[in-house]
Amino acid sequence: MSTSSPLIRALLVEDEYLARQEMRYLLKEAHPDVAIIGEAADADTARRLIRELRPDLLLLDISLPGETGFELLESLDEVPHVVFVTAYDQYATRAFQVSALDYVLKPVHPERLAQALRRVRQTLLPPVLPPAAAVHPIEDNTAAGAPAPPAPPLTPQSQVFIKDGEACHFVRLADIDMFEAVGNYVRVYFGSQSPLHHKSLQQLEDKLPPNLFFRVNRQQILNLTIIERVHAYYKGGLLLEVRGGRRIDVSTRQAVRFKELLSL
């Protein structure tokens, strides 16, 4: 492969030193377009490096000390693309074959890794990614330096991770129809799915792109692109007809802001 090929910037999250060395060797030998820009042996280190380095890809083990790979993903506002590297055969095939880019079983076989990386390239390339000169490997246990720059705001193309029992979903914000408060959790509606997400509605509202989502009432945040009709409603409120036939109330207070936003 040409050295001028675009690089896929990968973060390797694996608690076993020999497994990390093996992955580095396999990538260097056959996949020079996949550059490991950092390594983490635990979820805390991985979280810091994800924020600092903003990798294109996570090569992520499920079993980590103190916190699983799933819990790591659930803690992130935005997740990179993920290839799971796991020893859990049956669980992996059931949970990840649709949602993640791919999964690779341990011990890692070169042919299986190559297949997974073909899927990665199909997803990530193009656009052109940062050049080789921008890649500087960072080992795990590296002491934190200067404070990391603030994470860029989420966009409609940002990907979030939602775990629903044994099922895992990687979903673009643009594909989410609505967030709805259910006690201390939030139900997330996309496609035919509506899993619970372990964050509050207020936590989500502060991070969502305001040009895409609007807080229509105390319980619901709606994707503006799914609105089909707007009707006047009780006491100055509004009634929205949205894609799929559902009707959503806009509270009197939020109706004023809604009309200003959409110049009604």
Side-chain angles (χ1 to χ4, degrees), residues 228-243:
E228 296 182 340
R229 292 181 179 83
V230 181
H231 304 280
Y233 197 48
Y234 181 68
K235 289 188 176 180
L238 296 171
L239 182 66
L240 307 179
E241 293 185 39
V242 303
R243 186 171 59 213

Side-chain angles (χ1 to χ4, degrees), residues 162 164 169 186-197 246:
I162 302 170
D164 182 24
H169 306 278
V186 172
R187 190 169 298 282
V188 185
Y189 294 86
F190 55 94
S192 61
Q193 306 294 322
S194 56
L196 284 176
H197 189 44
R246 187 165 183 167

Side-chain angles (χ1 to χ4, degrees), residues 55-122:
D56 308 305
L57 174 69
L58 292 186
L59 296 169
L60 177 62
D61 192 6
I62 296 170
S63 178
L64 297 170
E67 189 174 342
T68 67
F70 306 136
E71 291 168 324
L72 166 64
L73 294 175
E74 285 186 291
S75 72
L76 302 175
D77 293 328
E78 180 179 8
V79 299
H81 294 285
V82 175
V83 169
F84 288 100
V85 182
T86 174
Y88 298 101
D89 187 354
Q90 184 177 358
Y91 191 51
T93 57
R94 183 170 64 248
F96 312 131
Q97 60 185 352
V98 174
S99 291
L101 278 182
D102 212 333
Y103 64 92
V104 177
L105 294 178
K106 296 179 180 179
V108 176
H109 295 287
E111 296 82 3
R112 184 65 187 88
L113 178 62
Q115 182 183 19
L117 292 177
R118 280 196 293 272
R119 295 187 64 183
V120 171
R121 293 184 188 99
Q122 290 170 358

